[in-house]
């Protein structure tokens, strides 16, 4: 490749290709001119002949192959995609390997590998179909050793060495926990990050003794933690306490396929012999979804016993809108530490499963709303400025990076009645809650539910509206423009709360249901007192 040859991307749809010419690249071309450039994003692609798609979600006969007929050979197409464990489609079909990896060479150097696969339909896993596929991947050794973007190297990111943009925390979906963490742990593949604590004797110790270090507190929400562990009979701790199931096992969907299961538990203390405020969600893989080519006792034992546990302490009496001592202590410790951090941008976080923008209440007020009012720089550009109350919630500009069910933050100006153009309205549901920073009230939040026009029953859309405490600005209140902004500027955190009942017809939506509450608090006032219900359903 000539590094000085600046090629601009040519739209394949705008080309008039002479008769007889087809897009039939060599293996080396696929790797060097397309895949490597796509990964590094430092040079344009030669053409748009290779399309982006979520390839492994679809059976091959559902792929838009006809769109390639003008420039590819008959029934042939090329796609960029991300590989998924098992390579199973939404229907339950599967691509199975049909031969060894083949090195792709350029001038004696291995630039990548290709592997042949054949497709097996969901209803017939014994007989292959006529669909075949070559999967190309780059040789990781080609990525520059001095690259500062560790994510591009597909190596495990050490959570202790990462400094996330303000507001981003480890809030994985059920599907991400199974697909990107538990599956890879079972297969001994590199994990996306070390955000889930390594093997701990989870069932040996009481939850208030779990070894959640200061580094993890920076990326978890308050009184929450994730860990890999082995299931033990009875789930009884050494002190005599035990975890008791508080509901049926629920499937975790990957498209239309069941890739795992989750079960909610509550903790009973041996000392008090009653339910505590500790809750836990246990995730395990679906053994039927993991194809094992040959009997492997060690692998089978890991499939049967290895789980991820998410533990959380739900304290209804505690003011959830104040910063905990642990998080403040951790922040101070980080400020004094001379450790060199790797800075991760918001763009890079799109490639790191499990991390999402989830602000704590004080951060909403202190780091975003006050800075917005005073025209100061914001930590990130994640919160968009819109005319929020003009629009019904399902029409809000969530963007491609916000997964269903939607959960997002918006800057806006409050309006009287909080009524949308269609006649729908946001109705208050509960008193204002003070937001504390230390001993100081820095703002307030109010909880609202949305009623569509003409409907007497509330919808599944809920919202927290954040406003600043005007008392913080007494010295500057003589400025009428600033006073108006203080009185009307708010941040709205809108959320769609899915129904708790599982239905196969909702499997695509349930696939990415958030495995956690938002940081600000529970979305329903009644949920806060129901310890037996998992926070995973809110």
């Amino acid at each position: 490749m000539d590094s000085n040859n600046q090629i601009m991307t040519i739209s394949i749809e705008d080309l008039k290709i002479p008769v007889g010419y087809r897009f039939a690249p060599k293996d080396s071309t696929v790797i060097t001119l397309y895949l490597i450039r796509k990964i590094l994003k430092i040079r344009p692609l030669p053409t748009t002949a290779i399309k982006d798609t979520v390839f492994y979600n679809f059976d091959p006969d559902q792929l838009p192959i006809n769109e390639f007929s003008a420039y590819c050979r008959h029934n042939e197409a090329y796609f960029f995609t991300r590989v998924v464990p098992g390579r199973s489609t939404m229907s339950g079909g599967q691509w199975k390997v049909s031969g060894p990896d083949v090195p792709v060479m350029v001038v004696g150097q291995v630039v990548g590998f290709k592997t042949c696969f054949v497709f097996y339909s969901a209803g017939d896993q014994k007989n292959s179909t006529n669909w075949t596929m070559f999967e190309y991947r780059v040789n990781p050794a080609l990525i520059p050793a001095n690259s500062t973007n560790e994510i591009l190297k597909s190596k495990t990111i050490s959570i202790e060495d990462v400094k996330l943009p303000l507001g981003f925390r480890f809030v994985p979906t059920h599907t991400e926990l199974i697909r990107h963490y538990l599956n890879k742990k079972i297969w001994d593949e590199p994990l996306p990050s070390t955000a889930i604590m390594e093997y701990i004797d989870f069932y040996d110790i009481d939850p208030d003794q779990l070894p959640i270090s200061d580094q993890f507190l920076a990326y978890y929400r308050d009184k929450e933690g994730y860990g890999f562990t082995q299931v033990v009979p009875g789930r009884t701790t050494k002190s005599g306490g035990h975890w008791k199931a508080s509901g049926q096992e629920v499937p975790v969907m990957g498209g239309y396929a069941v890739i795992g299961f989750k079960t909610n538990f509550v903790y009973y203390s041996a000392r008090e012999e009653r339910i505590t405020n500790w809750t836990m969600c246990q995730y395990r893989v679906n053994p039927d979804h993991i194809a094992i080519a040959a009997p492997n006792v060690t692998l089978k034992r890991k499939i049967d016993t290895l789980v991820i546990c998410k533990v959380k302490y739900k304290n209804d009496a505690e003011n959830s809108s104040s910063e905990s001592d642990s998080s403040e202590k951790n922040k101070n410790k980080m400020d004094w530490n001379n450790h060199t951090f790797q800075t991760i941008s918001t763009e890079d976080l799109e490639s790191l499963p499990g991390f999402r923008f989830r602000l704590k209440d004080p951060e909403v007020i202190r780091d975003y709303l006050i800075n917005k009012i005073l025209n100061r720089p914001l930590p990130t550009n994640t919160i968009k400025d819109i005319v929020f109350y003009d629009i019904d919630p399902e029409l809000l500009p969530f963007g491609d990076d916000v997964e269903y069910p939607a959960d997002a933050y918006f800057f806006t100006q409050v309006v009287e009645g909080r009524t949308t153009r269609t006649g729908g309205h946001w109705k208050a549901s509960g008193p204002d809650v003070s937001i504390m920073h230390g001993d100081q009230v820095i703002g307030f939040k109010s909880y609202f539910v949305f009623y569509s026009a003409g409907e007497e029953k509330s919808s599944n859309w809920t919202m927290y509206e954040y406003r600043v405490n005007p008392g913080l600005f007494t010295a500057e209140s003589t400025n009428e423009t600033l006073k108006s902004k203080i009185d009307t500027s708010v941040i709205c955190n809108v959320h769609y709360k899915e129904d708790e009942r599982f239905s196969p017809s909702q499997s695509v939506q349930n696939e990415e249901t958030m495995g956690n509450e938002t940081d600000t608090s529970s979305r329903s006032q009644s949920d806060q007192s129901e310890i037996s219900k998992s926070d995973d359903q809110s």
Side-chain angles (χ1 to χ4, degrees):
M1 292 185 295
D2 183 359
S3 59
N4 296 319
N5 186 16
Q6 302 298 320
I7 303 176
M8 300 300 293
T9 301
I10 299 173
S11 173
I12 198 73
E13 290 79 11
D14 296 337
L15 281 180
K16 187 173 182 180
I17 302 175
V19 176
Y21 283 84
R22 296 285 185 273
F23 182 71
K26 297 178 181 179
D27 294 339
S28 58
T29 301
V30 173
I31 298 290
T32 58
L33 295 185
Y34 285 90
L35 187 53
I36 289 178
R37 291 187 180 188
K38 182 74 172 178
I39 291 171
L40 295 178
K41 297 181 180 179
I42 57 175
R43 298 188 67 190
L45 303 179
T47 72
T48 60
I50 302 180
K51 307 299 183 183
D52 284 286
T53 190
V54 188
F55 180 85
Y56 291 107
N57 274 6
F58 304 99
D59 285 3
D61 55 4
Q62 298 172 327
L63 292 167
I65 292 178
N66 289 338
E67 297 178 9
F68 293 78
S69 60
Y71 55 89
C72 281
R73 291 172 291 198
H74 182 62
N75 279 347
E76 184 174 275
Y78 292 80
F79 299 98
F80 289 114
T81 192
R82 294 186 183 275
V83 71
V84 298
R87 294 178 176 82
S88 297
T89 65
M90 283 186 171
S91 70
Q94 188 175 28
W95 290 96
K96 294 185 180 181
V97 67
S98 177
D101 287 353
V102 177
V104 177
M105 311 292 294
V106 173
V107 195
Q109 182 182 19
V110 178
V111 296
F113 307 91
K114 73 172 183 177
T115 310
C116 183
F117 292 81
V118 292
F119 186 73
Y120 289 75
S121 298
D124 188 358
Q125 289 292 308
K126 294 184 179 179
N127 299 307
S128 63
T129 66
N130 288 343
W131 289 98
T132 62
M133 181 262 291
F134 278 108
E135 181 185 273
Y136 293 85
R137 66 184 190 278
V138 73
N139 179 4
L142 292 182
I143 303 297
N146 60 351
S147 172
T148 58
N149 189 346
E150 293 292 332
I151 293 174
L152 296 177
K153 299 181 184 179
S154 299
K155 294 180 180 179
T156 300
I157 305 300
S158 174
I159 200 67
E160 294 86 353
D161 297 334
V162 168
K163 188 172 184 179
L164 297 176
L166 181 66
F168 282 85
R169 289 183 172 81
F170 188 64
V171 191
T173 64
H174 306 318
T175 303
E176 286 173 339
L177 285 173
I178 299 290
R179 178 176 288 166
H180 296 293
Y181 287 91
L182 191 52
N183 263 335
K184 291 189 175 185
K185 190 70 172 177
I186 287 172
W187 287 101
D188 292 324
E189 296 178 358
L191 303 179
S193 74
T194 60
I196 298 180
M197 291 181 287
E198 279 297 333
Y199 295 104
I200 58 175
D201 296 326
F202 186 88
Y203 293 110
D204 273 358
I205 54 181
D206 290 352
D208 56 1
Q209 298 172 339
L210 287 171
I212 302 179
S213 65
D214 287 339
Q215 287 91 345
F216 284 103
L217 289 174
Y219 307 110
Y220 291 161
R221 296 175 299 181
D222 289 341
K223 297 186 178 179
E224 181 175 280
Y226 294 80
F228 291 107
T229 193
Q230 302 285 335
V231 172
V232 297
R235 297 181 174 83
T236 302
T237 65
K238 288 181 178 179
S239 71
H242 67 282
W243 291 94
K244 184 176 180 180
S246 64
Q248 295 182 341
E249 195 170 55
V250 177
V252 175
M253 308 301 296
Y256 291 106
V258 177
I259 63 173
F261 303 92
K262 69 182 182 75
T263 309
N264 297 321
F265 293 83
V266 291
Y267 185 70
Y268 287 76
S269 171
R271 298 183 297 272
E272 302 173 2
E273 296 184 353
R274 65 179 178 85
I275 190 173
T276 68
N277 283 6
W278 288 98
T279 65
M280 184 259 288
C281 190
Q282 177 188 283
Y283 295 85
R284 68 180 180 91
V285 298
N286 178 10
D288 297 333
H289 189 69
I290 297 181
I292 304 177
N296 185 320
V297 176
T298 302
L299 181 59
K300 186 178 187 305
R301 183 167 59 250
K302 291 171 70 175
I303 292 170
D304 292 339
T305 63
L306 184 60
V307 296
I308 290 175
C309 290
K310 187 199 79 173
V311 66
K312 183 177 179 66
Y313 185 84
K314 298 180 70 174
N315 188 349
D316 304 324
E318 184 181 68
N319 183 357
S320 64
S321 295
S322 63
E323 291 178 303
S324 68
D325 293 337
S326 60
S327 62
E328 191 66 30
K329 173 184 175 183
N330 179 69
K331 186 177 72 172
N332 292 337
K333 183 172 182 178
M334 288 297 192
D335 289 341
W336 298 335
N337 199 335
N338 292 323
H339 188 83
T340 300
F341 289 99
Q342 172 196 347
T343 300
I344 300 291
S345 69
T346 54
E347 182 179 351
D348 290 339
L349 281 172
E350 296 177 3
S351 304
L352 194 56
F355 289 86
R356 286 179 175 77
F357 190 66
R358 294 293 182 271
L359 291 170
K360 297 180 180 180
D361 288 337
E363 292 172 341
V364 176
I365 302 294
R366 183 189 62 214
D367 298 298
Y368 282 88
L369 188 53
I370 289 178
N371 284 336
K372 180 73 171 178
I373 290 171
L374 297 177
N375 293 323
R376 294 174 179 168
L378 301 176
T380 73
N381 61 354
T382 308
I383 302 181
K384 305 302 180 185
D385 204 334
I386 66 169
V387 187
F388 179 86
Y389 289 109
D390 271 4
I391 311 168
D392 284 3
E394 63 268 18
L395 301 177
L396 289 168
F398 291 108
D400 296 333
D401 58 333
V402 178
E403 300 174 358
Y404 189 89
D407 192 324
Y409 298 81
F410 298 100
F411 287 115
T412 193
Q413 301 295 314
V414 72
V415 297
E416 186 176 355
R418 295 177 177 83
T419 302
T420 65
R421 289 181 177 178
T422 65
H425 67 283
W426 291 95
K427 186 176 181 180
S429 177
D432 287 355
V433 177
S434 298
I435 298 174
M436 310 296 295
H437 178 54
D439 297 329
Q440 186 179 28
V441 178
I442 61 173
F444 307 93
K445 71 173 180 178
S446 305
Y447 183 70
F448 292 82
V449 292
F450 186 74
Y451 289 75
S452 298
E455 295 290 336
E456 296 183 358
K457 184 179 178 182
S458 64
S459 68
N460 284 7
W461 289 96
T462 65
M463 182 263 290
Y464 275 109
E465 180 186 271
Y466 293 84
R467 65 184 190 278
V468 74
N469 178 9
L472 297 178
F473 297 88
T474 51
E476 296 87 353
S477 59
T478 54
N479 184 326
E480 290 300 322
T481 301
L482 178 60
K483 188 175 185 303
S484 175
K485 292 174 69 176
I486 293 169
D487 292 340
T488 61
S489 296
V490 296
I491 289 178
C492 294
N493 175 211
V494 66
H495 179 83
Y496 184 90
K497 182 178 179 182
E498 269 194 319
D499 294 329
E500 296 185 2
R501 295 177 182 174
F502 173 79
S503 168
S505 64
Q506 297 173 324
S507 59
V508 180
Q509 299 173 355
N510 287 349
E511 170 193 2
E512 297 297 338
T513 296
M514 301 310 296
N516 308 278
E517 298 172 272
T518 60
D519 254 333
T520 49
S521 73
S522 174
R523 290 289 166 183
S524 166
Q525 305 298 319
S526 61
D527 286 347
Q528 296 181 3
S529 61
E530 297 181 16
I531 300 295
S532 61
K533 289 186 178 180
S534 167
D535 59 324
D536 293 82
Q537 296 294 335
S538 60

